[in-house]
Amino acid sequence: MKSIKMKTIKKQIGLKMACVAFALVSNITYAQNADSKTTTQRDGFIIEFSVGGGLISLEDSEGIQTFDTSQGTFVFPDVKLGYMLNENLAITAAMPGNIYEFQDNDRNFGGFIPSLQYWVKDNWWIHGGIGLAIDSPALYDIKDNLNDDWNFGCAVMASTGYEIYKKKNFALNVQSKLVLGRAFLDGDAHRDAVIFNVGLGFSWL
């Protein structure tokens, strides 16, 4: 019963996020067309958070879950901090996060990934790095002696984004992200994850 209720809530959240994102992109794209001369000034520190959703596939070395089954995921949290080394290159720390369901519990597969972001063109950037994978309980679904284990490993991330609206030090982008990770569990077991996300990024540069 709880699993059905949580799935219904997730679907409702996903639908609402999609509607809000569509409305926001439509309004901002119209505003940019009305003022196409605005440009972003890329300098100093970067902070970005993004919202969206995607797919996650998990495989457990204990055979509980395999890559044959994928499930929808929504992004939470997804934060990026960094510093511009020059006008086109930034050093960053990316903290991707994706909520997924495992044995009727909600968990988060994410990481802490040192990375580089490079603007190939004025509106288009690529971003990638390698770092720490973190598999943890969702903060709202932690129970004593159940779904309270934190697992760590390694992860690789690659992403790209296109800035659809820019003004001074703010930019709104549409982005996609691929994360491959492995978290080590108790008893020499491990959990592998393949995650693909699309979403909106809100950046201050």
Side-chain angles (χ1 to χ4, degrees):
M1 185 69 181
K2 178 188 171 185
S3 177
I4 295 173
K5 185 177 180 182
M6 287 301 298
K7 288 178 181 177
T8 302
I9 291 171
K10 286 179 184 177
K11 287 180 181 178
Q12 291 174 347
I13 291 173
L15 183 60
K16 289 177 181 177
M17 286 176 60
C19 291
V20 170
F22 180 76
L24 185 61
V25 170
S26 299
N27 290 335
I28 291 179
T29 302
Y30 175 79
Q32 187 182 27
N33 289 336
D35 186 14
S36 59
K37 294 183 179 180
T38 58
T39 58
T40 306
Q41 300 170 359
R42 292 191 293 266
D43 187 27
F45 288 97
I46 299 174
I47 182 168
E48 178 183 291
F49 71 90
S50 60
V51 295
L55 294 172
I56 182 170
S57 293
L58 296 153
E59 184 163 281
D60 205 300
S61 62
E62 295 179 335
I64 299 174
Q65 208 159 335
T66 70
F67 281 137
D68 294 334
T69 303
S70 297
Q71 60 178 284
T73 177
F74 62 91
V75 174
F76 181 80
D78 200 316
V79 180
K80 182 196 302 175
L81 303 173
Y83 186 81
M84 296 299 304
L85 299 177
N86 57 49
E87 187 179 354
N88 295 319
L89 180 65
I91 184 169
T92 64
M95 289 162 274
N98 294 266
I99 301 295
Y100 71 95
E101 185 178 333
F102 181 72
Q103 295 183 329
D104 296 328
N105 294 302
D106 284 351
R107 295 186 60 80
N108 178 43
F109 201 103
F112 180 84
I113 303 178
S115 45
L116 292 173
Q117 182 167 328
Y118 180 73
W119 276 260
V120 180
K121 294 185 177 180
D122 189 51
N123 291 69
W124 173 41
W125 50 260
I126 56 176
H127 183 219
I130 183 170
L132 179 69
I134 305 172
D135 177 54
S136 65
L139 297 179
Y140 58 83
D141 198 21
I142 299 177
K143 308 176 186 70
D144 291 337
N145 299 318
L146 180 66
N147 196 39
D148 60 354
D149 56 312
W150 289 66
N151 309 302
F152 301 92
C154 56
V156 177
M157 178 203 70
S159 67
T160 185
Y162 187 83
E163 295 168 347
I164 58 176
Y165 175 75
K166 301 190 294 180
K167 189 171 184 180
K168 294 184 180 179
N169 66 335
F170 173 77
L172 173 69
N173 64 71
V174 177
Q175 60 180 257
S176 62
K177 182 175 298 177
L178 178 67
V179 179
L180 308 177
R182 169 171 288 188
F184 298 100
L185 314 177
D186 292 337
D188 295 326
H190 62 265
R191 179 173 298 145
D192 294 330
V194 178
I195 302 165
F196 178 75
N197 290 332
V198 292
L200 291 175
F202 303 82
S203 303
W204 287 265
L205 303 146

